[in-house]
Amino acid sequence: MNTSVFIDLPPELEERQVTSLNGTWEIQEADMETGFAGLPEVFQNTIPVPGLWDMADKPISKDAAWYRKVFVLNGVLPRRITLKISKAFWGKYIYINGRHVCDHHPNFTPAYVDITAYVHPGENVLLIKTGALGTQDPALGHISGFDQEKYEYIPGIYDNVSLICSGNPVFRRLQVAPVIARNSVKVRLLVENLTEEVVWTRISLRICEAGTREEAARAVLENIELPAMGSVLVTEELLMENVRLWSPETPFLYVAYAKTEGDSICERFGMREFGFDVETKLPMLNGKPYYLRGNNILMYRFFEDPDRGSLPWDREWARTVLCKFKELNMNSIRFSICFPPELWYELADEMGFLIDDEYPIWLEIERQDGKGTADFLNRLQIPHTEGNPTWWLADHLDRKYPVFGEHLPAVEETLIPELKDWIYEHGNHPCVAIWDMQNETQTFLTEIIIKKLRESGADLSERPWDNGWAPPACASDSMECHPYLFKDPNFTLSDLNHTDRDPAVQTPFFYNYSRAGDMSLVPDNPRIINEYAWLWLNRKGEPTLVSKLVYEKLLPGALGGQYRKFYAKAVSQLTEFWRSGRKCAGVFYFCGLTYDKENAFACDAFLPDIAHPEYDPDFKKAMADAMAPLGICIEDWSEKYSPGTKTVPVSLYNDRDDLWSGNVRLSLMKGERELWWGETSCHVAPYGKTELSFDLVIPENTEENCRLTASYRDEKGEEIRSIREFVVE
């Protein structure tokens, strides 16, 4: 099979030319020590790029693999040819035409490699070696993406590969930052001179609508001086005409273009600003409050799903998944412990999601007590039996990833350049609203790193940061809360009546801020719940590894359908509880997409045919109602009532910027028979909350369960409900 890529080059390159190298590559398994000289002349295996090793035509059983791609350059070679490898793990060892170019060890950020001196007209052979987890030297200090709930770490080049041909002067990067108050946009360019003489260049800037290409702004920068073999940073602010703001409801996109005499660059962006108000603790989008309602994607766990195949790189499948999130009234996603392939960011820009973009650090820079995953599994009462794949995780993988302490400068020096690359790569996406440094890791090192990144000015938009289970770096940063109430097998929905609405109180890690157990010392930062419930079912509707204990207590002897019904009820009621308390800037369901496999710790809520993602109807309706922009909640979670007169509190809470007026109905059902109903009209102010109460009579003891339903009809006429089921004693 001929997998070569042919690239025709003009006599003089005036515009950047980008050629994708995606597609079928040759691949050869090898030991990690196998160098270029030890490779066979003919590779006997192929693999898709982007993809993972398990997608190769023949299995790869060793700890390294060499990828090979032939590209043919026809024409005059340009001043600069750059190889871009968007994402690959673990490690990248790059050769061109038999010569070693460089090694690139970051596993989640792109490699931009200047290969100009290594290529020639005609046929060129590109070789890239990647290794399995554990093949990188831990002393280098690069994050491996350890996740104590993963079993398989499948290597591969898992995002786009391309060749970038440029003339001189060349753009290294373009960064855009909207300034909503002035209807303008800041453009920052890093421009490089590839010659040994000082040059002066003219830079043309244009802003156009992404869809129509209608021009919205233009500027020309004359006589920009570039030192010999040097670079300059150029910043310009352009006033925009007829500005259209980006939001999840109206994801309008622009394109920024820049051009020198020998190169051009373009980046898509949206006119949007996001941050947290220090006083109100509310998230602010384009100057207005904007509550976050979302879920989590754990792409690196999904990579080991038995039914994964090529789905992560299928744009239409990804679009379908995101459409399913929209059906649940979600406007946000946390990319949890992962950076998905680039197409997921592009779709989030186009479809309208705000992303909490979390760097893949979980425990990897936390000083451990020596117990690690073993302690975690013991707490879950998972027996240590021979051949148990869960304990294999503890016995083997815990020793394969580097654990760094809080005061190792080598880690800090390694991470900061990687994190800058992350910011530069994702910084123009309007979907990326929050930089998230890590997950559930107790360390003070990441706080130091965030502060140094802020001081560097790497992010022109100055986004807020999340710092996992470590102190927030400033007052306008969010706090990561994981109130897993059902982690206690004795917890019931009735206990919500006595549960504090501040998720920080329900998240024990906050005591680590003070190292003294004094909650008064916990910072008063905006709270985001980006994980909650602990009630996972696999896609067959059965309890997962960690939820079995919970369901044994809550639903002893239950059958499959009963698990699904309880899951829909409990997760939606938890969602109502946290949203109606108005203590949270965001509530993110865990999780929207992850793996489904034997001994999985958690799972998403999709039905078994993941190639055609669908939800169980009960879950879909319950969660869509619980995540509705105008939420409704029966503020009583009792599962047992006594007969007699009862006052039922009902609240409505408005995430939108418009006044809502309408009728609210409360209905009491016994089985399929309506015993009582009441209705009242009310108003809910923009971003406000209205509390109502209904007086009714609970019937005498009955064998049938009773049900309360509070509801209203939205602008489409659909009934939005809050439901409580109870027995009468």
Side-chain angles (χ1 to χ4, degrees):
M1 177 188 294
N2 186 353
T3 62
S4 301
V5 174
F6 295 85
I7 304 171
D8 293 325
L9 297 167
E12 187 171 349
L13 198 62
E14 296 180 356
E15 297 272 353
R16 175 168 296 193
Q17 184 172 329
V18 180
T19 303
S20 172
L21 298 185
N22 291 354
T24 302
W25 287 47
E26 297 173 280
I27 192 167
Q28 177 69 41
E29 68 173 19
D31 295 321
M32 194 62 195
E33 294 75 20
T34 303
F36 169 77
L39 292 178
E41 292 186 6
V42 178
F43 286 14
Q44 300 293 336
N45 201 359
T46 59
I47 192 170
V49 171
L52 300 173
W53 281 9
D54 64 353
M55 298 167 71
D57 286 347
K58 300 173 186 176
I60 296 173
S61 58
K62 296 190 177 181
D63 66 356
W66 286 86
Y67 287 75
R68 180 159 67 183
K69 190 71 172 178
V70 175
F71 59 92
V72 180
L73 299 174
N74 297 319
V76 179
L77 296 188
R79 287 276 191 171
R80 170 69 58 84
I81 300 180
T82 302
L83 170 68
K84 179 183 179 183
I85 308 168
S86 294
K87 301 183 190 78
F89 39 35
W90 280 266
K92 294 168 284 298
Y93 308 85
I94 302 163
Y95 290 74
I96 298 281
N97 296 325
R99 298 165 62 196
H100 179 235
V101 180
C102 70
D103 299 338
H104 184 268
H105 285 285
N107 296 299
F108 317 105
T109 52
Y112 286 91
V113 181
D114 180 3
I115 62 172
T116 313
Y118 299 86
V119 300
H120 49 245
E123 184 175 283
N124 296 268
V125 180
L126 166 63
L127 285 165
I128 303 171
K129 181 170 70 171
T130 63
L133 180 70
T135 57
Q136 289 178 301
D137 182 357
L140 295 174
H142 292 280
I143 297 300
S144 70
F146 173 79
D147 177 344
Q148 68 173 355
E149 296 180 19
K150 277 177 60 64
Y151 294 94
E152 301 174 63
Y153 290 77
I154 308 170
I157 300 174
Y158 65 99
D159 209 345
N160 303 320
V161 181
S162 58
L163 283 182
I164 303 169
C165 296
S166 309
N168 189 61
V170 63
F171 292 111
R172 291 267 296 277
R173 62 177 177 268
L174 182 159
Q175 196 175 18
V176 178
V179 185
I180 304 299
R182 296 198 291 268
N183 287 331
S184 66
V185 61
K186 288 182 181 178
V187 177
R188 179 181 289 170
L189 298 157
L190 182 59
V191 195
E192 184 178 1
N193 176 14
L194 305 178
T195 71
E196 296 182 356
E197 298 177 352
V198 175
V199 300
W200 286 264
T201 188
R202 182 176 188 261
I203 299 177
S204 301
L205 298 172
R206 285 194 306 131
I207 307 294
C208 297
E209 295 181 1
T212 66
R213 289 299 190 265
E214 182 176 336
E215 190 172 284
R218 174 187 287 269
V220 177
L221 310 180
E222 302 282 2
N223 296 323
I224 303 297
E225 182 178 350
L226 301 175
M229 303 299 292
S231 61
V232 296
L233 201 61
V234 178
T235 302
E236 184 73 8
E237 185 170 348
L238 284 73
L239 295 177
M240 303 267 289
E241 294 182 1
N242 304 316
V243 170
R244 297 180 63 178
L245 301 181
W246 185 98
S247 73
E249 292 71 32
T250 57
F252 191 84
L253 295 169
Y254 290 90
V255 178
Y257 296 91
K259 188 179 183 314
T260 66
E261 289 85 351
D263 193 19
S264 61
I265 189 171
C266 66
E267 292 284 350
R268 198 169 63 169
F269 72 98
M271 290 295 290
R272 76 107 188 92
E273 294 176 335
F274 180 86
F276 294 97
D277 187 289
V278 175
E279 299 299 324
T280 66
K281 317 303 176 188
L282 292 178
M284 304 293 290
L285 178 65
N286 299 331
K288 296 180 179 181
Y290 194 87
Y291 286 94
L292 306 176
R293 307 182 305 275
N295 66 20
N296 289 252
I297 287 177
L298 290 97
M299 187 60 71
Y300 297 163
R301 291 189 195 173
F302 185 66
F303 278 173
E304 62 185 72
D305 189 290
D307 297 323
R308 179 212 75 222
S310 60
L311 293 176
W313 303 277
D314 184 330
R315 187 176 293 267
E316 289 312 306
W317 180 82
R319 188 185 301 276
T320 299
V321 170
L322 296 181
C323 282
K324 294 303 171 185
F325 299 166
K326 286 285 187 181
E327 290 175 6
L328 301 184
N329 286 312
M330 293 175 174
N331 58 25
S332 310
I333 304 170
R334 174 181 175 228
F335 288 157
S336 181
I337 331 176
C338 75
F339 294 156
E342 181 65 15
L343 68 89
W344 290 82
Y345 293 90
E346 295 167 356
L347 287 172
D349 288 341
E350 296 165 10
M351 298 175 67
F353 286 95
L354 289 168
I355 302 298
D356 176 333
D357 205 24
E358 185 172 81
Y359 204 83
I361 296 175
W362 187 20
L363 308 180
E364 205 166 342
I365 58 173
E366 180 174 81
R367 197 177 285 284
Q368 300 287 300
D369 59 7
K371 298 178 181 178
T373 307
D375 180 58
F376 175 63
L377 298 178
N378 277 322
R379 286 188 281 111
L380 294 174
Q381 300 180 29
I382 297 170
H384 192 172
T385 57
E386 185 176 356
N388 184 319
T390 308
W391 273 95
W392 179 89
L393 174 84
D395 292 342
H396 296 274
L397 290 187
D398 265 8
R399 295 192 292 270
K400 273 199 167 184
Y401 74 96
V403 177
F404 305 110
E406 293 174 355
H407 306 293
L408 295 180
V411 180
E412 179 182 321
E413 292 163 5
T414 298
L415 269 178
I416 287 177
E418 291 184 25
L419 295 168
K420 286 182 179 179
D421 288 343
W422 164 35
I423 291 170
Y424 297 145
E425 188 70 6
H426 293 178
N428 290 317
H429 286 291
C431 67
V432 176
I434 302 169
W435 304 120
D436 196 332
M437 185 67 220
Q438 46 103 337
N439 174 65
E440 292 186 353
T441 302
Q442 299 170 27
T443 173
F444 285 80
L445 177 62
T446 50
E447 179 188 3
I448 296 168
I449 290 173
I450 291 171
K451 289 178 178 178
K452 290 192 174 185
L453 285 166
R454 276 205 168 103
E455 291 169 2
S456 76
D459 179 20
L460 193 59
S461 293
E462 299 180 346
R463 291 169 175 85
W465 284 81
D466 182 284
N467 195 20
W469 287 4
C474 74
S476 58
D477 285 345
S478 58
M479 299 170 68
E480 176 175 286
C481 301
H482 295 176
Y484 278 120
L485 303 177
F486 278 96
K487 191 174 182 180
D488 176 0
N490 297 310
F491 190 86
T492 67
L493 287 169
S494 297
D495 293 325
L496 290 173
N497 287 325
H498 315 291
T499 300
D500 196 302
R501 296 297 186 94
D502 182 354
V505 177
Q506 308 301 330
T507 311
F509 76 87
F510 280 110
Y511 291 105
N512 289 284
Y513 284 140
S514 64
R515 303 290 174 99
D518 183 354
M519 286 298 293
S520 68
L521 299 178
V522 174
D524 188 26
N525 285 61
R527 274 85 158 125
I528 289 184
I529 297 176
N530 51 35
E531 296 185 28
Y532 63 103
W534 204 267
L535 293 168
W536 300 287
L537 300 174
N538 62 27
R539 296 192 194 125
K540 295 177 183 177
E542 303 162 341
T544 67
L545 187 71
V546 299
S547 63
K548 286 178 181 177
L549 286 176
V550 178
Y551 284 107
E552 286 172 6
K553 283 272 190 176
L554 291 172
L555 299 175
L559 301 175
Q562 292 172 296
Y563 289 127
R564 285 199 189 278
K565 287 187 179 297
F566 179 81
Y567 183 77
K569 175 179 76 172
V571 176
S572 61
Q573 289 190 29
L574 286 168
T575 304
E576 291 177 23
F577 175 83
W578 293 118
R579 287 191 65 209
S580 69
R582 297 320 241 183
K583 300 282 189 182
C584 306
V587 177
F588 289 62
Y589 158 72
F590 194 88
C591 49
L593 181 67
T594 185
Y595 57 16
D596 177 32
K597 59 188 299 180
E598 185 180 359
N599 289 309
F601 286 73
C603 193
D604 50 54
F606 287 121
L607 295 176
D609 184 8
I610 193 61
H612 303 91
E614 292 289 349
Y615 293 120
D616 173 79
D618 288 339
F619 175 82
K620 179 178 178 180
K621 176 57 178 169
M623 279 301 286
D625 288 352
M627 287 283 188
L630 179 70
I632 185 168
C633 177
I634 298 174
E635 300 279 356
D636 190 338
W637 286 266
S638 302
E639 296 171 282
K640 297 177 181 179
Y641 281 165
S642 299
T645 302
K646 172 73 175 175
T647 298
V648 177
V650 176
S651 69
L652 291 94
Y653 34 96
N654 192 356
D655 285 1
R656 303 180 299 195
D657 64 356
D658 57 342
L659 174 73
W660 183 86
S661 298
N663 296 329
V664 177
R665 191 178 195 272
L666 184 69
S667 171
L668 173 63
M669 303 285 292
K670 184 172 75 171
E672 297 303 316
R673 188 159 55 94
E674 188 171 52
L675 302 180
W676 176 93
W677 68 270
E679 189 169 281
T680 186
S681 61
C682 72
H683 305 286
V684 189
Y687 316 115
K689 180 177 179 179
T690 296
E691 297 177 345
L692 309 171
S693 63
F694 295 84
D695 294 325
L696 52 86
V697 176
I698 303 297
E700 295 294 329
N701 291 359
T702 172
E703 293 182 358
E704 294 180 281
N705 289 350
C706 292
R707 183 172 70 252
L708 284 170
T709 302
S711 64
Y712 72 90
R713 292 198 176 273
D714 65 13
E715 57 272 14
K716 297 178 182 177
E718 184 174 347
E719 185 181 40
I720 309 299
R721 308 172 305 181
S722 175
I723 299 174
R724 302 289 181 266
E725 296 174 344
F726 61 93
V727 297
V728 180
E729 294 185 342

